[in-house]
Amino acid sequence: MPHTTVRRMCVAILIATVATVASAEVRVIARQPAGLFITGEPLSFVIETDGPAEEIAWAVTDYHAATVAEGTLMVGGGASTELRINERLAIGYYTLRLSFAAGGTFDRPFCVLPPPEDGRGDGGIFGVGYEARCETEWDILQRLGVRHVRSEFPWTVVEPEAGRFDLSRVREVIEEASERNLQVTVLTGHTPRHYGQKPVDARGRVETAWYTWQPATTMEWHRFISVMADNLLGHSLPPDPPSPTDTLARTPRPLVRGWEIWSEADQNFYYGDWDRYLDMLRIAWGTIRSRERVPVIYGSCGHWTEMALTCIANCHQYFDRIAYHPHGEDPDYEIMHWFRNMPQVLIDRGAPRETYWTETDFRTDDRETEPGFILRLYATLRSWRQRDYIRSGCTGGVIGWEWSEAGLVQKKNGQPYIPRPAAVAYALSRWLLESAAYVGPIDAPAGARLELFMRDGEPMIIGWSAEGPHQVQIDVTPRAELLTCMGFRTPLSGPTTTVTLDADAVAIFGVSRDYIAEAACANVERRLTTELNHVSPTNSGYINVLETDTDSLISPQFADNVRAAVAEACDPTRTPPAHCAAALFGAQRIVGDGMLAVVRHGRQRGHLYRNHYNTIWRLAQFVEDLGEIADGVGARWRRMNNVSASDLQSVRAMLAGVRERAEFHPGGGECAQAVRLLDRAEQQLRLVTESGGHRRGAWWAATLQVRAAHAMVAVEERINRRAFVVLPPRPDHELSGRVYNFLPREISGRIAVEMPEQWGRPVRTASFTAPSGGFSGPIPISFAVPSEPTPWVVKTAYRPWESLPVRLPEPLPANSEIWATARIAHAADPPPMRYRLCVGSYPGESAPEQVDHPLAMPAAAPARRPLLSSLRPAATDPLAIPECVRLVTD
């Protein structure tokens, strides 16, 4: 059936609820997808029944079963009847109940949600990983307030036959997402059968899951990524409507928010050689970043081993974010635990990265507390300053089907889309928090949490207690009220009120502005006195608390100067509220000057070391924190907090000049860390222009980051990331390498390959020429591995999480390394690339019949790789010449 026909059927018939009551079939059709109404929309249903005409009673009850509207209606007799609910219902979860005179009732849940465009901000944490199957599902995502979707475009589907591309799904996602103002996180991966190379010791699932194998060569991957980039990049979403107080024209958002290279490449969905993944990662980074400055995401489950191999191979400069897929009921613990693990490998090298949570499953199985958990989760993410979070769809967390009870909307047993209470909690969390500025924590009893935000210039607390009920005292204004995660409002009397907190997070509006100073100072204290802006029971071993580093790299007075500046700026007895934002800009400048001081410290020592880079990165986050607080408290006085066109232009011009020096050096050498700092600054300026100029704190953060990047360019060591050697070893004692070139001109030169010491350490060289945006011809390099002395012995070749038994001469190690370097005429040389080889003879096995579908999975896929499953490509009859040692790797 054509795809368009499927979509039409979905819209036509899947919005009705059907049931049999008193021998009559009843259909209730909601006028809006899945019964998701927006506040202010007419609440209208169409009721159809094949029974005789009769009068029925109807009633609408809220989440707590209280009746909020009721009446009677004539239905049946072969006619459709429209039921209009005239009462204006607040945000919440409701049930429409029809009661028939002949007996029996019929229930239809529906929701009233806040307008999805109300309170729009960056929205990075309000993403979902779900492949919408029809227009109705796209509409559901839009009405829930989803801001971006993670869409997978498997190579197996896009190129079903060699050289033939099917871009219908790509075009559909572009069209549907653009129409609904949704950004897209792109996911690419999975090797087509016609390009795959089977692992030498494949068994079990790996024998048949050919889509998890590595591509035999890299040219086809480059072509695939190029086709995808040409079609997906360059699209924009319309800007937000202007406001009368705007000082700048609002700018559009890019359609593509991030680009993930292979989901869980270090887990169950890639069983090729890790060096081949790094080849694909480098090629994708060069292809994408040469077209648009979209963050390239390292597709990961967060394993140390692969990240260590990535860094040792000098490939840690070829991605901008790290993917991770956390789960559980305690997001605070899981996030803390994450930053104490794999990211430390990068911090140890002075190359920190932020995380892009591309497939997450934080949830509670308790249906009663699920809505409150959702609000608590998103408040926690904001307090951690997590920029991107994608709610998992593959575990049923978006639209739940028969096997899942975790969806925001449910679809099962042939029935229509039905909203769950979680849908209200998600939409309400988005409405409350997306445009709110996080200020910091407020003192609360042990086990309770009070987090202060500024929403529309007014302070708001999100509070909860995950460890049993706690009573807290809150200072409030006459307009104070408590809002539950399901939309219930309760007025609060003051000036001090008692609020009981439990596992269901609540929002408290109209709290005293005196809390701003307490929360901001607590935020600053946490930033200065921890390693990575959070409290952990263990020290990472790779990084000091920030104050320790600023004492040695800047001055012993730095931390106290920041504390004093923030305390004075937020103290209502010293700084009038209207001037608080401007005073916070001064605190930002202190931190910005600190970044410059760190660079000067490195220049005095002739080099920027890892502690310099890590400290600059943390201070860059710090100026963004302070800028967000300033923008939050200054939102009531927008004209005082605005950015002028000349202010914006001056920083943009400075940024462009620094980027020219940092990124586009004539020799191709880049200052990679300075470029990342400029990318942060550009994101801050995007916040300014998307808001119409109402983000002067973000403007200051960008200004200070550009200044620091300008200073770094003069001292940071340059690397050439845009030309590199790809050298896939083959089991026939020949290396067929290529040079990929993403510089704006053709390059030529020579590559050199250094063999292991046990092979006599020979160096093989060859010349190459590579066009701009493409790759060189094949560069054959022959070599020989010693095959003496005999007899051979069995050794173990080690790979991540597993081992491979091979036969080879006793003195020869089963694991060897070769290094590939390039000398480029009139350009900087790229970093050498290390290839880690498994050497020896491995007995071959016949492969069983392969599956036909590229995404076929066994009923119980292993949670981690089983022994001998992430295996290297098969040699051609590796035992045919027993006296010859071969590579058991590609």
Side-chain angles (χ1 to χ4, degrees):
M1 181 181 293
H3 185 62
T4 53
T5 304
V6 174
R7 288 171 57 190
R8 190 177 302 115
M9 287 180 61
C10 188
V11 174
I13 68 172
L14 294 186
I15 59 175
T17 304
V18 183
T20 301
V21 178
S23 302
E25 185 178 271
V26 179
R27 290 168 55 92
V28 176
I29 305 172
R31 289 296 194 186
Q32 300 299 345
L36 300 176
F37 294 91
I38 306 301
T39 54
E41 286 184 340
L43 299 175
S44 177
F45 299 85
V46 174
I47 301 172
E48 298 176 350
T49 175
D50 58 5
E54 62 175 308
E55 185 177 70
I56 65 169
W58 63 268
V60 174
T61 55
D62 64 18
Y63 184 64
H64 297 297
T67 300
V68 296
E70 59 187 339
T72 59
L73 189 71
M74 291 296 299
V75 301
S80 297
T81 306
E82 182 175 17
L83 168 60
R84 280 184 170 269
I85 301 171
N86 296 322
E87 286 79 358
R88 186 179 179 87
L89 301 185
I91 295 169
Y93 186 81
Y94 300 94
T95 300
L96 169 65
R97 168 162 288 190
L98 307 180
S99 299
F100 291 81
T105 59
F106 177 91
D107 291 341
R108 174 60 159 97
F110 67 96
C111 295
V112 177
L113 306 178
E117 297 307 310
D118 189 9
R120 178 181 282 275
D122 176 64
I125 61 173
F126 294 101
V128 298
Y130 184 77
E131 300 293 333
R133 307 182 183 201
C134 58
E135 289 189 48
T136 296
E137 292 188 352
W138 282 107
D139 290 339
I140 288 171
L141 300 183
Q142 180 188 27
R143 286 179 164 264
L144 288 170
V146 169
R147 290 297 179 247
H148 60 111
V149 293
R150 180 191 189 225
S151 292
E152 182 174 9
F153 304 101
W155 188 8
T156 53
V157 175
V158 175
E159 193 177 358
E161 299 173 8
R164 182 178 72 83
F165 291 91
D166 180 358
L167 298 171
S168 57
R169 176 63 179 170
V170 176
R171 297 189 182 105
E172 178 193 327
V173 170
I174 292 173
E175 176 186 344
E176 301 286 9
S178 299
E179 183 179 333
R180 293 163 180 82
N181 208 8
L182 300 176
Q183 289 186 298
V184 177
T185 295
V186 175
L187 170 61
T188 48
H190 293 141
T191 305
R193 187 201 297 254
H194 41 273
Y195 295 140
Q197 193 167 23
K198 184 180 179 180
V200 62
D201 51 353
R203 62 185 62 187
R205 169 180 174 247
V206 182
E207 287 185 302
T208 57
W210 45 265
Y211 56 92
T212 66
W213 301 350
Q214 69 180 35
T217 61
T218 55
M219 298 87 72
E220 293 83 8
W221 168 260
H222 173 258
R223 181 179 61 186
F224 162 65
I225 292 294
S226 297
V227 169
M228 295 295 290
D230 287 342
N231 282 272
L232 283 163
L233 299 180
H235 297 276
S236 296
L237 302 178
D240 292 341
S243 167
T245 57
D246 287 355
T247 56
L248 301 172
R250 297 189 180 234
T251 55
R253 294 172 175 83
L255 172 69
V256 176
R257 186 176 180 87
W259 196 309
E260 186 177 2
I261 310 303
W262 209 295
S263 178
E264 301 186 359
D266 60 0
Q267 186 77 12
N268 288 352
F269 293 97
Y270 176 71
Y271 290 98
D273 185 76
W274 190 249
D275 291 333
R276 178 53 54 82
Y277 173 74
L278 298 181
D279 290 341
M280 292 190 288
L281 180 67
R282 291 185 293 160
I283 291 168
W285 183 90
T287 303
I288 294 164
R289 292 282 295 195
S290 63
R291 287 164 169 80
E292 191 173 318
R293 278 189 285 275
V294 169
V296 174
I297 305 164
Y298 174 91
S300 154
C301 268
H303 296 299
W304 281 72
T305 305
E306 275 76 5
M307 180 55 77
L309 294 175
T310 298
C311 293
I312 293 170
N314 276 327
C315 292
H316 56 290
Q317 302 291 4
Y318 290 93
F319 55 90
D320 307 295
R321 307 276 185 87
I322 311 167
Y324 187 50
H325 300 169
H327 60 277
E329 294 191 37
D330 189 347
D332 273 302
Y333 173 80
E334 294 296 338
I335 298 173
M336 178 278 296
H337 179 72
W338 160 248
F339 281 109
R340 282 292 175 270
N341 281 278
M342 188 264 269
Q344 297 294 324
V345 179
L346 292 163
I347 290 173
D348 183 41
R349 287 162 173 78
R353 300 289 196 285
E354 293 187 346
T355 309
Y356 205 118
W357 310 92
T358 57
E359 189 177 309
T360 55
D361 195 24
F362 284 134
R363 67 183 181 189
T364 175
D365 292 330
D366 183 354
R367 289 195 177 190
E368 293 298 319
T369 62
E370 180 188 20
F373 178 86
I374 290 174
L375 178 55
R376 171 159 49 108
L377 167 63
Y378 285 103
T380 300
L381 294 172
R382 288 299 314 275
S383 71
W384 280 82
R385 290 189 59 79
Q386 177 61 42
R387 292 176 60 183
D388 293 281
Y389 177 92
I390 296 175
R391 184 180 173 96
S392 175
C394 66
T395 57
V398 180
I399 295 181
W401 295 77
E402 278 77 0
W403 49 270
S404 171
E405 297 290 339
L408 302 175
V409 171
Q410 207 70 29
K411 178 76 174 72
K412 57 173 33 180
N413 300 326
Q415 290 295 308
Y417 301 95
I418 300 296
R420 297 183 61 245
V424 175
Y426 178 92
L428 192 64
S429 299
R430 199 282 315 158
W431 178 70
L432 286 171
L433 295 173
E434 182 181 2
S435 63
Y438 176 66
V439 181
I442 297 173
D443 187 45
R449 287 276 292 276
L450 297 171
E451 300 287 355
L452 186 72
F453 296 83
M454 299 299 295
R455 188 174 185 277
D456 296 330
E458 298 292 343
M460 171 188 71
I461 290 175
I462 304 294
W464 68 90
S465 173
E467 300 179 8
H470 279 90
Q471 288 190 334
V472 295
Q473 302 294 314
I474 305 292
D475 295 336
V476 295
T477 68
R479 304 183 307 276
E481 63 177 358
L482 183 146
L483 177 68
T484 73
C485 56
M486 295 304 293
F488 288 91
R489 296 176 180 268
T490 302
L492 300 176
S493 59
T496 300
T497 188
T498 300
V499 175
T500 301
L501 300 179
D502 57 22
D504 291 333
V506 295
I508 305 170
F509 297 101
V511 301
S512 170
R513 295 184 71 88
D514 291 348
Y515 285 120
I516 296 173
E518 177 185 341
C521 290
N523 191 343
V524 168
E525 198 64 23
R526 187 170 58 191
R527 176 68 73 179
L528 290 170
T529 59
T530 63
E531 297 172 340
L532 294 169
N533 200 31
H534 63 268
V535 177
S536 171
T538 58
N539 186 290
S540 70
Y542 296 101
I543 195 169
N544 298 314
V545 301
L546 181 57
E547 185 171 9
T548 299
D549 285 336
T550 58
D551 282 353
S552 60
L553 298 178
I554 303 173
S555 81
Q557 292 76 41
F558 171 82
D560 286 340
N561 290 342
V562 177
R563 289 185 178 102
V566 172
E568 184 170 352
C570 297
D571 187 346
T573 65
R574 301 184 189 182
T575 307
H579 297 279
C580 179
L584 283 167
F585 302 152
Q588 282 184 281
R589 290 193 291 272
I590 293 174
V591 178
D593 290 343
M595 286 193 284
L596 295 175
V598 175
V599 178
R600 284 196 299 271
H601 187 278
R603 177 178 284 185
Q604 291 167 1
R605 284 150 182 77
H607 190 75
L608 289 174
Y609 294 93
R610 69 175 185 179
N611 205 29
H612 295 115
Y613 289 124
N614 289 335
T615 304
I616 292 169
W617 176 65
R618 289 183 288 171
L619 293 176
Q621 291 180 319
F622 204 168
V623 295
E624 294 173 4
D625 280 2
L626 296 173
E628 181 174 323
I629 297 171
D631 289 337
V633 299
R636 284 183 63 189
W637 299 276
R638 286 190 166 188
R639 297 189 186 279
M640 299 179 64
N641 200 37
N642 279 354
V643 177
S644 68
S646 60
D647 285 343
L648 178 67
Q649 182 56 36
S650 66
V651 177
R652 276 185 167 166
M654 182 168 60
L655 190 154
V658 177
R659 190 179 286 281
E660 186 71 24
R661 294 177 55 225
E663 192 170 9
F664 301 110
H665 191 270
E670 296 181 60
C671 302
Q673 298 292 71
V675 168
R676 290 193 183 94
L677 202 54
L678 293 173
D679 288 346
R680 294 190 81 108
E682 201 157 281
Q683 173 62 27
Q684 291 295 301
L685 291 181
R686 185 175 293 166
L687 296 177
V688 174
T689 56
E690 288 175 358
S691 70
H694 304 301
R695 295 291 298 270
R696 193 164 187 82
W699 176 86
W700 265 114
T703 302
L704 299 168
Q705 290 166 346
V706 172
R707 287 172 56 200
H710 173 75
M712 290 173 66
V713 169
V715 63
E716 182 180 353
E717 182 179 357
R718 292 181 177 271
I719 59 172
N720 183 355
R721 295 189 288 177
R722 297 184 182 270
F724 47 82
V725 181
V726 169
L727 194 68
R730 296 181 351 202
D732 57 0
H733 286 192
E734 180 149 311
L735 305 175
S736 183
R738 295 181 186 273
V739 173
Y740 280 82
N741 174 28
F742 296 99
L743 294 169
R745 60 179 176 84
E746 180 181 273
I747 60 173
S748 61
R750 296 188 68 80
I751 68 168
V753 181
E754 182 179 348
M755 305 298 179
E757 181 178 0
Q758 294 83 0
W759 303 3
R761 191 170 282 177
V763 176
R764 302 287 187 261
T765 64
S767 60
F768 72 88
T769 298
S772 175
F775 47 82
S776 69
I779 308 169
I781 296 180
S782 298
F783 64 95
V785 182
S787 58
E788 297 293 339
T790 56
W792 287 8
V793 298
V794 176
K795 292 189 175 184
T796 300
Y798 292 98
R799 294 149 322 155
W801 301 322
E802 56 202 34
S803 58
L804 176 68
V806 295
R807 294 176 61 248
L808 73 168
E810 171 64 40
L812 207 64
N815 290 101
S816 298
E817 296 178 355
I818 62 174
W819 287 88
T821 59
R823 294 282 183 181
I824 303 175
H826 311 296
D829 298 334
M833 169 68 181
R834 186 203 75 161
Y835 284 86
R836 187 170 182 266
L837 312 179
C838 299
V839 180
S841 171
Y842 183 83
E845 295 181 356
S846 59
E849 184 178 347
Q850 295 176 333
V851 297
D852 293 328
H853 194 281
L855 297 182
M857 293 282 291
R864 289 175 70 93
R865 300 180 192 169
L867 186 66
L868 300 180
S869 60
S870 172
L871 307 171
R872 292 6 186 194
T876 304
D877 192 11
L879 296 183
I881 312 176
E883 69 277 6
C884 179
V885 180
R886 295 177 180 270
L887 301 182
V888 195
T889 185
D890 181 64

